[in-house]
Amino acid sequence: MKHFLLSISLILTVIIATAQPTWKNISDTRFVRKIVPDGNKLWLSSEGGLMCIDHSTNDTTFYNHANSGMPFTDISDMCLDIQGRLWLTSYFAGIACKDGNTWTAYNTTNSTLPNNRAVAITSDSQGNIWACINNNLVKFDGNTWLAIDLSFMASSNSGSEVMAVDAHDRVLMNANGLWAFDGNTFVKYDTSNSPILTNRINFIKTFPDGKTWIGHFQSGLTITDFTQWEVFDTLVTGKALYYVNAFDRTPDGKYWLGCYNGDLYYFDGTSWGLKHSEPPADTIRNISFLAVDNGNNLFIGSYQSSMFDGNYWYKMNTAETAFKGNMVEDIFHASDNSTWIANPYGMTRIIGNTITNYYQDDSSANPNYYLSATCFAEDNNGKLYAGHYGGVSVFENNEWHRKSIPINNNLFSSSIPHHIAFDMNNSLFIAQFWGIVIYNGVSCAYYSPYLNNFPASEVLCLTRGTNGHIYAGYNNGFSEWNGTSWITHMIPNPPVYDCNVWDISIYDNIIWMATSGGLIKYDGSMWEYFNPDNCALNSFYSFALNCDKNGMVWMQNGVTDIATFDGQNWQIIDYFNSGMLYGSIRKLRIDKLGNKWMGSIHCGISIYNENGIFLDLDNNKPHSDQVIKLVYPNPATDEIKISYLLPDNSTHWKLIVTDQLGKTVDIVSLQEKDKTYVYHSAKLTSGEYLISISNGIVNTSSAKILIVR
């Protein structure tokens, strides 16, 4: 019966795991780039995905690369065609079409598109789709893509960034002026042959009266039918018109115009006036787009998107989650099972599906001031620290408190930590541009090419190994702090000229490095290089990596791929066949449940677990590596120091030493809840041992140790 129940349990576990999604995106969707009314629906785009607001139900649906057939998440532009299909472009992944519930992707892997950098899209009255793709204008007639080279346009531009179709079905584009294409010929309008006041164009739109409006970066607005021209550098007396980003026309013939700084203008058919929003939508700024629906409702895409129905103002909640800040600087899995994200808006804590943003510490006098976080580290007592542009803060009692560190050296600043870490002695290591500061709780020591012969001024990563040593990566090598001094390891015959060591992960005393020359392995004596010249990697460049609990290396490869390596076999997970976010991955970190967290440079977090994503860690119960904090030195000879924190004050906790065959070698009773226990290893011969802490029922924590005689 027991075997039967066990089998059922295993089957249920597999069923549950396979039911879980393997990819998840967490993105900030607050800032809306474009709005497209579509009957009772409203489509809104952002770098964090696509949103659909259904006015009939007031429901909002969020689409991204992981939760739908949408082939990308970061949207650069979108439009509706005459068939009611929604077309989207991506800065990195081509074009997509949403036709009902069906998604179709167009990119260089499955079409004749010249490249995947699509920045603008529109449709004409014949149903053709036009898009600008990095020095190319492309046309889709429903069957094939035709590409037209635009390299003859302004050399300072890589092509058009905004598009429209005029009353004559000419395609209009901006590129150091305005270009019009009638299917055969390009005509350019600029300050040399037309009345427009500047060649820098932010927005183009043609209205039912046949007139095209052109919004300029500076010097205002141009309105033309290409026979008559009107130019405006002001719409309201005494106020200059700058940064015109958007405009639209109501069904009854009125006009709205928005500027990036938040100025909103309204033309009632006779004169222009400034329109000031009212609570709750009283903080409109950074206007990116305006759209009016058939009911004359105005929708404002901005930092805080809003709606005006002619009488009342409303805030539009476009946030899928509380996550804020898509530029990820660091990902850190803390011992209490929380995950922390560093970004320009501050520090974000994620526990299961609960997201909390922290923007300040107790030294912030300005309530609108954001701490721009860069990195995290945890000390040997389980306290979390954050480095940010301002210094270092510690998280205590659910608040961030500024840590005063007495840095007294004119080469170093106390306010710009790029990476931080704690060593076995609980000293804080701070990497700055000129080198490393080590703070022991009382005073600071300084290491740079100008002080104490440290080999690099710019440290690219800091990592603490299982032996408690600190590893600092830099150009063409790394240094290891053994508790008293730095040991330098320069890469012999590096695979590329500037072989930057961007990230380091250590497993079983093997040092793995993500570099600009590929993956590098160092076992203490031998160096081994992995790159497109000798393995399945598609790019030399790797910015982030981490080893999982089985020693598998997971690494970012180039911009679009994740690579795994078990020591013999490679697996490549590419963007187009996955749910990952596109873009350079700054960090790749693996949590206790095997979820791979990847932080991108501009559109948030991707999470992957080949066995199904589970984020609901039990935050009150210690997990496999929470009780034992640190075991050092490793390898050891005479003494082994085991730093631990027990989950309760009971006296039934034991420290157990077992050999490679699973035989118990020694048992020690632990009398204190929080301590660094010194174990004398004279009875142990050379070899590998497992140190565990148990309550007599289950082992709650374990670590491997190598004894060398």
Side-chain angles (χ1 to χ4, degrees):
M1 179 61 72
K2 289 182 179 179
H3 291 294
F4 174 74
L5 291 175
L6 177 61
S7 300
I8 293 295
S9 175
L10 290 174
I11 292 171
L12 289 175
T13 300
V14 171
I15 292 173
I16 293 171
T18 56
Q20 290 294 107
T22 56
W23 285 96
K24 180 181 177 65
N25 295 163
I26 302 176
S27 297
D28 188 345
T29 56
R30 287 172 177 80
F31 190 86
V32 172
R33 286 176 172 163
K34 192 163 186 177
I35 302 172
V36 176
D38 181 17
N40 286 329
K41 294 183 292 188
L42 192 71
W43 298 99
L44 305 96
S45 67
S46 75
E47 68 179 5
L50 176 69
M51 293 154 276
C52 179
I53 299 176
D54 189 326
H55 294 308
S56 62
T57 62
N58 290 321
D59 291 333
T60 301
T61 304
F62 295 87
Y63 301 88
N64 58 49
H65 188 35
N67 70 5
S68 69
M70 185 173 164
F72 46 75
T73 294
D74 187 8
I75 303 168
S76 55
D77 197 11
M78 67 177 176
C79 73
L80 284 171
D81 66 12
I82 60 174
Q83 299 179 46
R85 298 176 298 181
L86 185 69
W87 291 82
L88 311 172
T89 57
S90 165
Y91 287 117
F92 308 103
I95 297 173
C97 175
K98 187 179 189 304
D99 185 2
N101 294 321
T102 302
W103 288 92
T104 304
Y106 300 95
N107 52 62
T108 54
T109 70
N110 64 5
S111 74
T112 56
L113 290 179
N115 59 74
N116 290 325
R117 190 171 176 80
V119 294
I121 196 163
T122 190
S123 63
D124 63 23
S125 64
Q126 305 302 310
N128 298 306
I129 302 300
W130 298 85
C132 281
I133 303 188
N134 196 31
N135 277 324
N136 288 269
L137 173 66
V138 296
K139 174 186 176 182
F140 184 63
D141 61 7
N143 295 303
T144 59
W145 291 95
L146 171 68
I148 303 166
D149 186 7
L150 299 181
S151 59
F152 62 88
M153 288 185 173
S155 59
S156 61
N157 248 325
S158 61
S160 177
E161 295 172 350
V162 294
M163 301 179 69
V165 172
D166 72 6
H168 306 289
D169 255 0
R170 296 190 305 172
V171 179
L172 307 177
M173 300 165 284
N174 72 325
N176 196 26
L178 179 70
W179 294 80
F181 179 62
D182 63 4
N184 295 296
T185 305
F186 287 91
V187 177
K188 184 180 183 183
Y189 303 91
D190 59 20
T191 54
S192 69
N193 65 359
S194 73
I196 63 174
L197 300 177
T198 175
N199 292 332
R200 296 189 66 179
I201 295 172
N202 285 356
F203 191 62
I204 311 168
K205 188 176 180 69
T206 297
F207 292 107
D209 61 3
K211 293 185 178 181
T212 296
W213 289 38
I214 305 164
H216 298 281
F217 179 76
Q218 292 178 322
S219 302
L221 172 69
T222 299
I223 301 176
T224 182
D225 61 4
F226 297 97
T227 300
Q228 302 293 323
W229 298 77
E230 298 176 88
V231 294
F232 304 88
D233 58 7
T234 183
L235 296 177
V236 173
T237 302
K239 188 173 183 61
L241 186 63
Y242 289 117
Y243 306 107
V244 177
N245 260 14
F247 28 76
D248 204 1
R249 180 181 185 271
T250 65
D252 57 5
K254 309 301 191 299
Y255 291 89
W256 290 95
L257 181 146
C259 301
Y260 182 76
N261 64 1
D263 288 340
L264 184 64
Y265 294 84
Y266 178 66
F267 183 71
D268 61 8
T270 303
S271 61
W272 285 97
L274 276 170
K275 187 70 175 179
H276 299 286
S277 61
E278 299 175 359
D282 55 348
T283 56
I284 295 174
R285 55 191 172 96
N286 306 138
I287 294 176
S288 61
F289 200 80
L290 298 180
V292 179
D293 67 7
N294 291 331
N296 290 322
N297 297 303
L298 173 68
F299 301 95
I300 305 169
S302 64
Y303 181 79
Q304 173 60 67
S305 298
S306 307
M307 171 187 168
F308 180 58
D309 67 3
N311 295 301
Y312 300 102
W313 293 87
Y314 305 90
K315 281 186 178 180
M316 297 172 62
N317 182 14
T318 59
E320 181 178 14
T321 69
F323 183 78
K324 191 171 186 179
N326 282 329
M327 184 175 289
V328 176
E329 299 285 353
D330 194 14
I331 300 173
F332 187 82
H333 299 300
S335 60
D336 66 355
N337 301 323
S338 60
T339 294
W340 289 85
I341 312 298
N343 60 64
Y345 288 96
M347 294 77 69
T348 298
R349 179 172 61 179
I350 302 176
I351 302 178
N353 294 312
T354 301
I355 299 174
T356 308
N357 298 302
Y358 297 85
Y359 309 126
Q360 301 174 325
D361 63 10
D362 56 4
S363 71
S364 302
N366 185 348
N368 297 316
Y369 175 72
Y370 292 140
L371 282 179
S372 184
T374 57
C375 51
F376 295 106
E378 198 171 60
D379 71 9
N380 296 340
N381 299 314
K383 287 186 179 180
L384 182 71
Y385 288 71
H388 49 75
Y389 285 85
V392 175
S393 297
V394 58
F395 192 64
E396 295 177 305
N397 299 320
N398 213 36
E399 292 182 350
W400 285 97
H401 303 277
R402 187 66 58 92
K403 183 74 173 177
S404 178
I405 299 174
I407 294 179
N408 299 309
N409 187 286
N410 57 12
L411 277 179
F412 294 89
S413 167
S414 61
S415 61
I416 314 177
H418 300 303
H419 312 277
I420 60 176
F422 285 91
D423 73 352
M424 66 182 77
N425 298 316
N426 220 25
S427 293
L428 175 62
F429 287 61
I430 306 172
Q432 300 186 346
F433 178 75
W434 292 110
I436 290 179
V437 177
I438 302 179
Y439 175 55
N440 64 7
V442 178
S443 60
C444 293
Y446 309 95
Y447 298 88
S448 80
Y450 313 100
L451 293 166
N452 296 315
N453 298 316
F454 190 77
S457 59
E458 186 175 11
V459 173
L460 304 174
C461 64
L462 283 179
T463 302
R464 185 169 83 171
T466 54
N467 57 4
H469 293 186
I470 298 297
Y471 297 80
Y474 42 75
N475 181 260
N476 288 327
F478 72 93
S479 290
E480 176 185 356
W481 178 262
N482 63 8
T484 57
S485 61
W486 291 102
I487 303 170
T488 297
H489 305 269
M490 301 306 294
I491 300 172
N493 301 314
V496 295
Y497 177 73
D498 284 317
C499 191
N500 288 327
V501 178
W502 295 111
D503 204 2
I504 294 174
S505 186
I506 302 168
Y507 185 87
D508 273 354
N509 299 314
I510 295 177
I511 300 169
W512 298 92
M513 288 162 273
T515 78
S516 49
L519 177 67
I520 295 180
K521 175 185 177 182
Y522 178 59
D523 64 6
S525 59
M526 300 292 294
W527 296 79
E528 192 171 359
Y529 308 144
F530 304 91
N531 54 57
D533 291 340
N534 60 17
C535 71
L537 293 177
N538 295 320
S539 171
F540 278 81
Y541 189 87
S542 178
F543 198 84
L545 87 168
N546 207 195
C547 293
D548 66 18
K549 64 181 180 180
N550 298 315
M552 176 87 75
V553 178
W554 293 76
M555 60 177 285
Q556 173 232 2
N557 183 225
V559 178
T560 60
D561 295 338
I562 298 297
T564 68
F565 183 54
D566 63 5
Q568 293 183 334
N569 303 304
W570 288 93
Q571 179 186 6
I572 306 298
I573 304 172
D574 71 89
Y575 171 83
F576 293 106
N577 294 307
S578 72
M580 78 178 72
L581 296 169
Y582 194 101
S584 296
I585 296 174
R586 289 182 183 270
K587 290 293 178 181
L588 191 159
R589 295 294 181 258
I590 303 173
D591 68 18
K592 297 173 183 177
L593 295 181
N595 301 305
K596 290 79 184 175
W597 296 66
M598 293 160 273
S600 76
I601 197 170
H602 60 81
C603 52
I605 301 287
S606 302
I607 306 174
Y608 174 66
N609 193 325
E610 62 275 24
N611 298 314
I613 296 171
F614 288 89
L615 299 181
D616 295 324
L617 288 163
D618 183 346
N619 298 296
N620 299 313
K621 181 179 178 181
H623 288 264
S624 60
D625 60 351
Q626 185 176 340
V627 173
I628 294 180
K629 295 294 185 179
L630 190 64
V631 176
Y632 63 95
N634 192 1
T637 302
D638 298 316
E639 292 183 346
I640 305 171
K641 296 179 180 179
I642 301 115
S643 177
Y644 66 86
L645 176 63
L646 300 177
D648 57 52
N649 289 311
S650 61
T651 59
H652 54 257
W653 293 97
K654 309 290 185 183
L655 187 148
I656 303 169
V657 182
T658 56
D659 63 17
Q660 290 177 300
L661 299 176
K663 181 182 177 181
T664 299
V665 177
D666 204 358
I667 299 177
V668 178
S669 295
L670 300 177
Q671 303 298 326
E672 298 181 39
K673 179 178 180 180
D674 185 2
K675 187 178 179 180
T676 297
Y677 180 82
V678 180
Y679 179 82
H680 297 279
S681 58
K683 66 178 66 175
L684 304 182
T685 59
S686 294
E688 190 175 78
Y689 294 83
L690 186 70
I691 295 177
S692 303
I693 290 181
S694 172
N695 63 0
I697 302 174
V698 294
N699 289 343
T700 61
S701 193
S702 60
K704 289 182 180 180
I705 186 75
L706 182 64
I707 301 298
V708 178
R709 297 298 185 194

